[in-house]
Structures are given as structure tokens and as C-alpha cells.
Amino acid sequence: QVQLVESGGGLVQAGGSLRLSCAAPGRTFSNYAMGWFRQAPGKEREFVATISRSGITTSYADSVKARFTISRDNAKNTMYLQMNTLSPEDTAVYFCAARQGYAATDGSEYRYWGQGTQVTVSS
């Protein structure tokens, strides 16, 4: 079992920035590809970004490309999502997820999920 703990969510004005963290204490973090997903009220969960085990390969949803940056620090067992130029459309609960193997954009391929952190962007 892999425990994932997100942090860093909050309330921010449009145009602002937030950095989310996802910690996986006590695990061999580098064995897992990681991803960020989000779910807005009344909407389905959607892919945001994913990163390979080494951190070399990343992929983003078109809606966040050039605004969000996914990264990881395997020595600290932590993944990050730097979110810039936030808009109200980014308001959602953000989840981190882990899977063994390659980075993936399909949430159904992830076995382990965090509890989520709320991001609210005011206009």
C-alpha cells in the first residue's frame, strides 16, 4: 500500500500561483510514475500532468500546458505541481496518484491515490 499526502492547496486570486506537494513517506518513491488529476464540482475527474519515475519525461493536459509544471524530488519522496497564472476554471480538488511502470494520462491506470487538496481561484 502506498500512502500519498497532498498539501499546498488554498484560495488564490486569478493570475496568482500555488505549488502543490505530494509526499509518499516510507516508500521507494522512485519506483513509481506519478500524476496529478483534478475534479471540479459536477465534473468528471480529469488529467492534469504526469511525470516518469526518473522525472525526465513529463506530459500535460492542453488546458494547463505552459502554466503548470510538474516535478519530483526522489530524494525527498515528493512530487510537486507549480501552478501559475491560475484562473477560476482551475478551481477543483487536486489529487496525486502513483503507479508502477510508465507515466500515464489515464487515471484508471493509477493504483494509488491521495485524499485530494482543494484549490479555489477567485475572479
Side-chain angles (χ1 to χ4, degrees), residues 10-16 85-91 119-123:
L11 174 65
V12 64
Q13 288 188 330
T85 319
L86 285 161
S87 72
E89 290 69 35
D90 296 313
T91 295
V119 172
T120 303
V121 185
S122 62
S123 56

Side-chain angles (χ1 to χ4, degrees), residues 37-112:
F37 295 80
R38 66 186 183 186
Q39 186 166 21
K43 294 188 177 181
E44 293 187 353
R45 183 182 64 198
E46 66 173 355
F47 165 73
V48 175
T50 184
I51 189 166
S52 63
R53 288 168 290 179
S54 66
I56 292 175
T57 301
T58 60
S59 180
Y60 297 89
D62 288 343
S63 59
V64 307
K65 204 172 292 184
R67 298 189 299 123
F68 290 10
T69 302
I70 189 172
S71 62
R72 64 190 296 162
D73 185 338
N74 286 342
K76 295 183 178 180
N77 285 9
T78 303
M79 173 181 66
Y80 305 97
L81 185 68
Q82 178 66 43
M83 305 186 295
N84 298 329
T85 319
L86 285 161
S87 72
E89 290 69 35
D90 296 313
T91 295
V93 177
Y94 284 71
F95 299 90
C96 68
R99 69 183 301 270
Q100 290 184 305
Y102 297 107
T105 62
D106 185 344
S108 66
E109 297 192 48
Y110 286 82
R111 182 174 181 182
Y112 304 104

Side-chain angles (χ1 to χ4, degrees), residues 11-30:
L11 174 65
V12 64
Q13 288 188 330
S17 298
L18 281 175
R19 188 176 82 155
L20 305 183
S21 298
C22 174
R27 305 301 300 186
T28 309
F29 188 66
S30 59

